[in-house]
Amino acid sequence: MADIQEQLAALTRGTTDVIPAHGLEAKLRRSADTGKPLVVKLGLDPTAPDIHLGSAVVLRKLRTFQDLGHQVVVIIGDFTAMIGDPTGKSETRKPLSRDEIADNARTYAEQYCRILDADRTQVRFNSEWLGAMDFGEVIHLASRMTVAHVMGRDDFANRWRDGQSIGLHELLYPLCQAYDSVVIGADVEMGGTDQLFNIMAGRTLQGQWGQDPQIGMFMPLLVGTDGTQKMSKSLGNYVGITEPPDAMYGKILSISDELMRSYFELATSVPMQEVEGLLAQAESGALNPKDIKRRLAREIVAIYHGDAAAAAADAEFERVHARGDIPSDMPEIPLPDHIVKDGRVWSCRLLVGIGLASGTGEARRLIQQGGVSIDGVRINSPDAELEADALHGAIIKVGARRFLRIL
RNA sequence: GCCGGGUUACCCGAGUGGCCAAAGGGGGCUGACUGUAAAUCAGCUGCGGAACGCUUCGGUGGUUCGAAUCCAUCACCCGGCACCA
């Protein structure tokens, strides 16, 4: 096993906080001494998973633990989902059906395997123990934490101050999550910075159970491709880890320059010393930022699709965007009969017919703005009529990057 | 249950009788430039073979020559009060 200091460096890379600061080192040392792997916990909602580079940040960190020989326990919060983490904004969620939970669990497994080492990953549902408790046990559990403590959580405190309602059951949420840590005997719990209170509650509860309290490790939220908000599926600013190599490569290349450092740090394993070196060269003008971003894109694509796919995506980019060639591969579609009239096709109807415009109005606009060309020749009038025969085998280009070949 | 505020295009939001297919911003799209699909600048962004033609401003029905704008009613959201404890 690697030297403790090296392990620490790898594990704390990109973290915003490790609490308590030196606790992790002590845990690692003890694990090395006893040969007993650390139990590293991550809690997840049983809602439909959308694994993108942002959610992958925490998973990759877990993978680092696994590579160092530690055990990961993923807790699917199927029971706590009935409460819903009380942000004060979201309504109490409907309990998911057994089938839905099973479905989601399967999807998780498929996607998580792309990052985690399945052999060192254990998946547990917290309904297993939380659902089995009787009321007396619940009361006993609740007696382990004080109202003053729970009310210390920011959102509770704010809602109380503002006179908003707080469901009694909501107060139990941190307790449930904390109890999960007790049940699995967590040494480390990973989470976003919004998990601070819940993870700390785990430490409190574990202490009362006579366990060595877990270390809380917090990761920042990856900024999405829009450059301002956190990456999330609902905001549409995400790069999915199952996206095809070319799409992934393109999206990463389009992030703004300022995001490069955090993407390198959180989404790749390139040594930070090297990253800083590259960025310094860009700063001084010795290196074109574009080339650093291409390196970033290659690194990330390689993680999810392998080196060969990354190299291919890079070459394809060079061909299409740097040299202006047509892509090596593009969708093909037969010329729909119904748009041909007397052997001729109205250009706007063609775009609609092959799905490159949603209506003739949009098609007209695209052509007027000079965004449409056929076999490299720009169409300059929305009234243009085209010979149907000449269209077979033609390549239609709309905008900078939408290509389509007509059969 | 009562009183008040609200519901406008993909999102936010202006508009209180005609000049409104509806300001502005965001997002999206196209072009120029470039280092890339970054940044910047410009244009477009309801539908429509395009004609000041058609359909839009929560739903329905009215008033009016004319309604996003006024009235009635219904639905939902947000405040305050009441009822119930």
Side-chain angles (χ1 to χ4, degrees):
Chain A
M1 195 178 280
D3 169 72
I4 297 282
Q5 289 308 319
E6 285 172 28
Q7 290 193 33
L8 266 178
L11 290 170
T12 54
R13 165 184 176 138
T15 55
T16 52
D17 248 322
V18 176
I19 303 176
H22 298 292
L24 185 59
E25 182 174 351
K27 289 261 193 190
L28 288 172
R29 217 171 276 292
R30 204 186 55 214
S31 170
D33 291 345
T34 61
K36 205 166 157 248
L38 296 179
V39 174
V40 185
K41 172 194 173 194
L42 175 70
L44 296 169
D45 276 328
T47 45
D50 56 327
I51 313 302
H52 48 66
L53 293 184
S55 32
V57 170
V58 169
L59 296 173
R60 285 173 45 77
K61 184 62 68 185
L62 291 179
R63 177 60 194 245
T64 305
F65 271 104
Q66 291 179 324
D67 291 342
L68 294 169
H70 302 294
Q71 172 71 42
V72 164
V73 179
V74 173
I75 308 255
I76 309 278
D78 62 336
F79 193 85
T80 34
M82 290 193 303
I83 302 176
D85 195 7
T87 59
K89 281 180 280 188
S90 56
E91 298 291 306
T92 301
R93 295 172 218 173
K94 288 189 196 73
L96 294 167
S97 74
R98 201 172 295 267
D99 284 348
E100 287 172 313
I101 290 169
D103 272 359
N104 290 339
R106 203 172 312 118
T107 315
Y108 272 123
E110 282 164 17
Q111 297 201 17
Y112 281 45
C113 282
R114 301 171 88 100
I115 298 174
L116 296 178
D117 174 354
D119 292 339
R120 293 182 192 276
T121 305
Q122 194 185 3
V123 177
R124 306 279 297 267
F125 293 83
N126 66 3
S127 60
E128 183 191 328
W129 50 88
L130 294 177
M133 293 174 87
D134 67 29
F135 199 59
E137 291 172 301
V138 174
I139 289 173
H140 177 68
L141 182 61
S143 73
R144 299 308 189 102
M145 210 177 282
T146 65
V147 170
H149 185 179
V150 176
M151 289 306 294
R153 194 173 131 153
D154 283 348
D155 43 72
F156 286 143
N158 293 340
R159 285 161 70 189
W160 182 256
R161 186 197 58 211
D162 298 342
Q164 293 173 16
S165 66
I166 299 172
L168 195 53
H169 67 293
E170 292 182 85
L171 298 178
L172 298 178
Y173 188 95
L175 199 62
C176 292
Q177 184 171 336
Y179 187 61
D180 292 345
S181 293
V182 171
V183 171
I184 66 164
D187 289 302
V188 177
E189 177 163 0
M190 300 277 322
T193 46
D194 56 337
Q195 289 298 309
L196 179 68
F197 185 89
N198 295 341
I199 289 176
M200 288 304 162
R203 287 178 56 81
T204 305
L205 214 54
Q206 283 177 305
Q208 301 201 6
W209 251 263
Q211 296 180 4
D212 181 31
Q214 65 187 2
I215 308 301
M217 283 186 68
F218 302 95
M219 303 294 298
L221 297 168
L222 188 72
V223 176
T225 53
D226 61 349
T228 51
Q229 293 183 278
K230 70 167 184 174
M231 184 176 284
S232 88
K233 194 168 190 174
S234 54
L235 292 173
N237 60 354
Y238 70 104
V239 182
I241 65 165
T242 56
E243 287 189 50
D246 287 343
M248 194 181 265
Y249 187 96
K251 281 192 184 182
I252 295 161
L253 213 59
S254 77
I255 63 171
S256 66
D257 293 356
E258 297 74 61
L259 256 44
M260 288 194 288
R261 177 180 280 105
S262 70
Y263 271 56
F264 267 115
E265 181 171 34
L266 298 172
T268 76
S269 302
V270 179
M272 285 315 288
Q273 200 181 345
E274 186 180 344
V275 172
E276 295 302 341
L278 289 169
L279 293 174
Q281 288 185 64
E283 193 71 32
S284 70
L287 208 54
N288 190 326
K290 178 190 68 167
D291 295 316
I292 301 178
K293 217 179 285 179
R294 284 178 67 170
R295 165 76 187 281
L296 173 67
R298 279 202 307 276
E299 291 285 346
I300 293 177
V301 173
I303 290 170
Y304 300 103
H305 296 287
D307 291 335
D314 190 59
E316 185 71 3
F317 169 80
E318 177 69 23
R319 172 217 291 280
V320 178
H321 298 290
R323 295 218 313 268
D325 284 357
I326 58 168
S328 54
D329 193 29
M330 70 182 84
E332 302 184 328
I333 189 172
L335 187 67
D337 294 334
H338 67 271
I339 64 172
V340 181
K341 200 164 64 185
D342 300 329
R344 298 170 71 80
V345 180
W346 178 38
S347 55
C348 290
R349 194 160 296 294
L350 171 69
L351 293 185
V352 176
I354 59 180
L356 289 177
S358 62
T360 55
E362 184 186 340
R364 185 177 289 271
R365 209 178 307 127
L366 286 168
I367 292 171
Q368 269 167 352
Q369 293 179 138
V372 179
S373 61
I374 297 179
D375 285 331
V377 180
R378 181 176 285 184
I379 301 180
N380 45 37
S381 164
D383 297 320
E385 301 266 351
L386 308 156
E387 295 295 335
D389 289 344
L391 285 173
H392 294 291
I395 290 168
I396 317 289
K397 180 188 181 193
V398 173
R401 58 184 187 282
R402 292 157 73 200
F403 291 87
L404 194 148
R405 177 181 281 121
I406 295 184
L407 294 175

